Amino acid sequence: MKEIKSALLMLILFTVICGGIYPAVVTGLAHVIFPWQARGSFVTDPAGMVVGSTLIGQPFSEPKYLWPRPSATTDFGYNPLASGGSNAGPTNPAYLKTVDERLQGLRATGVTGPVAADLVQASASGLDPHISPQAASHQVGRIAMKRGLSEETVTRVITAHTEDRQFGFMGAPRVNVLAINLELDTIRP
Amino acid sequence: MMNTYDWQQTLFFFAVLLLLVKPVGTFMAKVYQGERTLLSPLLVPCENLLYRICGVNKDEEMGWQRYATAMLLFNLVGFVALFALLLLQHLLPLNPQGLSAFPWQLALNSAISFTTNTNWQAYSGETAASYFTQMAGLTVHNFVSAATGMAIVIALIRSFSRRKTSLLGNFWVDMSRGTLYILLPLALIAALVLVSQGVIQNFSPYRTTPLVQATSYDKAQLDDAGKTRLDTTGKPVTDKVIVSEVTIPMGPVASQEAIKELGTNGGGFFNANSSHPYENPTPLSHLLEILLILLIPAGLTYTFGIMVGNTRQGWTLLAVMLLLFVVAFSVLQWAETSSTPQLTQLGINGGNMEGKEVRFGMAGTSLFEVATTGTSCGAVAAMHDSLTPIGGLVPLSLILLGEIVFGGVGSGLYTMLAFAIIAVFVSGLMIGRTPEYLGKKIEVREMWVSIITILCAGVVVLILSGIAMITPAAVSSMANPGAHGLTEVLYAFASMANNNGSAFAGLSANINFYNILGSLAMLIGRYVPAVAILAMAGSLAAKKYVPPSLGTLPTDKAPFAIWLILVILIVGALTFFPALALGPIVEHLTMLGGN
């Protein structure tokens, strides 16, 4: 009986400590030290309107935009309320057909040679804000033509938003799709 | 299959981990032995206040039955509270999205899941759990279920170093100290580093933002019965929906993310778990999360060494874990960078990127998936269902071996010690000597417990997977056809029975069959070994010390490490080879055959 009382009181106290005080302290410190990150890394346009988060990808599909990775979120790609992957097994025939269709779609825009896997395979979160530099390079010709820009200009914008491995060796090099498209929209031909 | 950067990253990671083993292990030994630490001036008064309120006498030690009773009661109370909280979510505060209550089957599964340190999730965090549920329910259990596992292994370690006593320590003291001195400070620091990288931490309502380019989709019309309406040709009737703004979920993520990894819990704030950019935004946050998963399990081997008076005993176990880890990592990395012949033939390069994020890189992703399934964590940074057949075999095998490759906090080390006892016993039989481990005679009771600990989860997995295969509702939950579908079901029960919580997530697991049988698997997989281990601790503590003689097998040297690895692999292979052969191995062979 004594142990039941101890168990109950222990749970209540640890709920207060770990479920109340601890997250409150983290929130307080986070908002003092890293307020922008704690709120979601949102970016604004010059007029001060929020245009999205640097960390959450958006479903660009028009030819003038840099395309992100395929996304398997429900209803529509890059639905932030439905994060998740396709969970397709790599030997599933229906899945291989989907990948082939995506590949043919890219080929139709003039992409030749081996294609970067990340541009035809969906991400784990369905919200991946990045593509690989190779996946971006596949799209330079198409974007330049649609926007009437030189390929050098488009490449320059992509390079400016390419992040190297963190500290030179962690993770993989990547380009932020939203950042590039926002900048492309500001350039007049 | 690794470039220079991958090698640098991998070696850097292991260097950091190994450098931290001794300081973290020493600190934990001091905490559990009640010695003074850096944090004592701050925390001793809090700790004493806690005991006074709860009516705990910290100097009063417990025998194994009382220790086990306290542990079970605490977990029972925690389960009931969480179950109630999930059922009453809609009436509780901090629910800006107005999310409704969990249905009882899902609430039962989720409450058991978090109480048992499994963190299997048959729900999506962003659309099912309020901020109050995430903090006061799930985060709390992330702490105390980890502290429970650690307390059990500490009781077992004490039983090796003590002689002719029935006392193993005080559960309330061990659990409180584990939480206050070890988990909370580390989680606090880690949470802030995670925020610096972009993990969110706020209580704002979900945020609606415009899309730069609007998108659209075809939404199926539903009839009055909630079924898809079909036209005369049998196709679904759809409406075109234009999407020009999206809703981005918010919440106190960093505080949960830190303890989710540190306590090898693994329950994601969001459905996509640690692949979600708000849970794991950069390569640095990624490596930190892997480090948090392995830190306490690796450190505990040194704590073990200190408390039994010979740190080489701990290093030997660590070496065994490290070697198995490197093998698993190599196989996974090879399989995923090689991709599949079908994908390569299409003209795709860069490995198998389905279900992976660009920022982590292939090698970083493989490291995470091995760490999360070699422990009882189960957080994922890639979708296991989309791994290549051999790639998917790696996490499944690590879980089935009992999560001993560093292992879950506490549970990993006690399972590894059970394997060590079996290894000592088998070698003792070979040379005809009475087996001893750490100066304690290994007798019938110890063997029973070790075998129960190791085989319990396996038996549950095989029986329940078998039942699923003859249950139509369970079979129709599979997302992929053929052998891959069997792997999904096998993985689900392996994950629940071994308290991992990761999934081959294509399986639609939120049906009564998996919710209820899964709950059973989680309960058996957690508490049967836990109580058995405490019973063994009781019997070991009562034994006298037998000094090593000429015939004693030294358990702190390389030959024993190799022998232990062989025993682990033989036991694993004998138990699971048939099931694995029908799942991932068949899939691999048919893939190579071009089907």
Side-chain angles (χ1 to χ4, degrees), chain B residues 424 427 431 433-440 546-555:
Chain B
V424 167
S427 66
I431 54 170
R433 304 286 299 221
T434 312
E436 294 151 23
Y437 187 51
L438 305 170
K440 298 280 183 160
V546 187
S549 67
L550 213 57
T552 306
L553 174 73
T555 51

Side-chain angles (χ1 to χ4, degrees), chain B residues 52-124:
Chain B
R52 204 174 316 138
I53 297 173
C54 300
V56 170
N57 175 3
K58 70 173 174 179
D59 298 318
E60 185 190 14
E61 296 220 345
M62 302 172 171
W64 82 264
Q65 291 99 331
R66 217 180 131 202
Y67 201 98
T69 309
M71 183 272 288
L72 290 173
L73 276 176
F74 182 61
N75 278 247
L76 179 68
V77 170
F79 158 74
V80 172
L82 182 57
F83 186 49
L85 193 155
L86 295 173
L87 291 176
L88 301 173
Q89 168 170 279
H90 56 300
L91 305 174
L92 294 166
L94 279 176
N95 185 2
Q97 299 314 115
L99 300 171
S100 53
F102 279 50
W104 76 264
Q105 299 91 335
L106 181 60
L108 176 77
N109 184 282
S110 306
I112 289 177
S113 168
F114 277 79
T115 315
T116 55
N117 197 258
T118 309
N119 298 27
W120 172 266
Q121 295 168 293
Y123 63 91
S124 299

Side-chain angles (χ1 to χ4, degrees), chain A residues 54 57-60 65-69 78 119 128-132 136 139 161 174-184:
Chain A
T54 54
Q58 293 192 11
F60 292 99
Y65 284 119
L66 185 70
W67 292 338
R69 303 183 58 187
Y78 291 88
L119 204 52
D128 196 342
H130 301 113
I131 57 176
S132 66
Q139 307 185 49
H161 293 282
R174 57 212 183 273
V175 302
N176 189 302
V177 176
L178 177 65
I180 289 169
N181 284 330
L182 286 174
E183 182 160 346
L184 284 174

Side-chain angles (χ1 to χ4, degrees), chain A residues 63-104:
Chain A
K64 65 172 180 174
Y65 284 119
L66 185 70
W67 292 338
R69 303 183 58 187
S71 161
T73 56
T74 41
D75 286 346
F76 55 97
Y78 291 88
N79 179 358
L81 277 179
S83 68
S86 69
N87 289 310
T91 60
N92 184 337
Y95 165 71
L96 288 168
K97 191 161 159 272
T98 308
V99 173
D100 194 35
E101 282 164 11
R102 289 174 187 151
L103 200 63
Q104 297 317 318

Side-chain angles (χ1 to χ4, degrees), chain B residues 71-414:
Chain B
M71 183 272 288
L72 290 173
L73 276 176
F74 182 61
N75 278 247
L76 179 68
V77 170
F79 158 74
V80 172
L82 182 57
F83 186 49
L85 193 155
L86 295 173
L87 291 176
L88 301 173
Q89 168 170 279
H90 56 300
L91 305 174
L92 294 166
L94 279 176
N95 185 2
Q97 299 314 115
L99 300 171
S100 53
F102 279 50
W104 76 264
Q105 299 91 335
L106 181 60
L108 176 77
N109 184 282
S110 306
I112 289 177
S113 168
F114 277 79
T115 315
T116 55
N117 197 258
T118 309
N119 298 27
W120 172 266
Q121 295 168 293
Y123 63 91
S124 299
E126 54 265 61
T127 49
S130 72
Y131 298 163
F132 189 80
T133 300
Q134 300 265 22
M135 289 192 324
L138 308 184
T139 302
V140 173
H141 280 275
N142 281 351
F143 277 100
V144 295
S145 68
T148 298
M150 289 154 76
I152 294 168
V153 82
I154 292 297
L156 176 62
I157 295 172
R158 286 193 189 116
S159 74
F160 282 112
S161 59
R162 294 183 175 185
R163 291 155 204 188
K164 295 186 176 175
T165 173
S166 62
L167 300 175
L168 296 173
N170 184 312
F171 173 75
W172 304 117
V173 173
D174 290 338
M175 195 276 298
S176 304
R177 285 188 180 153
T179 309
L180 291 175
Y181 288 79
I182 301 166
L183 297 173
L184 267 171
L186 284 170
L188 184 66
I189 298 166
L192 290 173
V193 179
L194 290 174
V195 175
S196 80
Q197 296 300 298
V199 179
I200 58 173
Q201 178 73 22
N202 59 57
F203 296 101
S204 317
Y206 292 5
R207 189 148 179 184
T208 302
T209 59
L211 289 174
V212 173
Q213 178 221 300
T215 186
S216 68
Y217 69 100
D218 295 323
K219 189 182 177 127
Q221 278 186 8
L222 299 181
D223 59 21
D224 296 336
K227 290 206 170 111
T228 311
R229 185 170 304 186
L230 301 177
D231 66 11
T232 46
T233 60
K235 285 189 182 149
V237 183
T238 56
D239 297 320
K240 196 172 174 72
V241 180
I242 306 284
V243 182
S244 54
E245 55 180 29
V246 291
T247 304
I248 301 181
M250 295 279 116
V253 178
S255 53
Q256 185 166 331
E257 192 70 20
I259 187 60
K260 160 190 140 188
E261 316 294 5
L262 185 66
T264 65
N265 293 282
F269 197 96
F270 302 116
N271 185 48
N273 210 305
S274 288
S275 72
H276 196 292
Y278 275 164
E279 287 200 24
N280 191 359
T282 66
L284 176 64
S285 69
H286 186 69
L287 287 180
L288 174 65
E289 289 179 16
I290 306 172
L291 184 69
L292 291 173
I293 294 172
L294 299 180
L295 188 61
I296 291 179
L300 274 174
T301 61
Y302 195 80
T303 310
F304 165 71
I306 292 179
M307 290 177 73
V308 299
N310 177 0
T311 50
R312 291 182 56 122
Q313 300 284 357
W315 287 120
T316 308
L317 296 183
L318 188 73
V320 169
M321 296 170 175
L322 195 63
L323 199 79
L324 289 169
F325 190 102
V326 169
V327 171
F329 171 74
S330 309
V331 174
L332 181 57
Q333 174 68 5
W334 166 81
E336 294 308 301
T337 48
S338 309
S339 194
T340 73
Q342 284 79 358
L343 289 167
T344 320
Q345 275 159 20
L346 290 174
I348 297 168
N349 74 358
N352 175 27
M353 282 299 286
E354 185 69 35
K356 295 193 181 69
E357 301 281 297
V358 169
R359 59 193 178 281
F360 308 142
M362 277 282 173
T365 306
S366 301
L367 200 60
F368 194 109
E369 304 324 312
V370 171
T372 195
T373 50
T375 65
S376 75
C377 184
V380 292
M383 294 302 149
H384 293 183
D385 215 343
S386 295
L387 295 173
T388 59
I390 296 299
L393 178 66
V394 171
L396 179 56
S397 306
L398 286 169
I399 292 174
L400 287 173
L401 283 180
E403 293 155 357
I404 45 171
V405 180
F406 295 95
V409 284
S411 59
L413 185 57
Y414 65 64

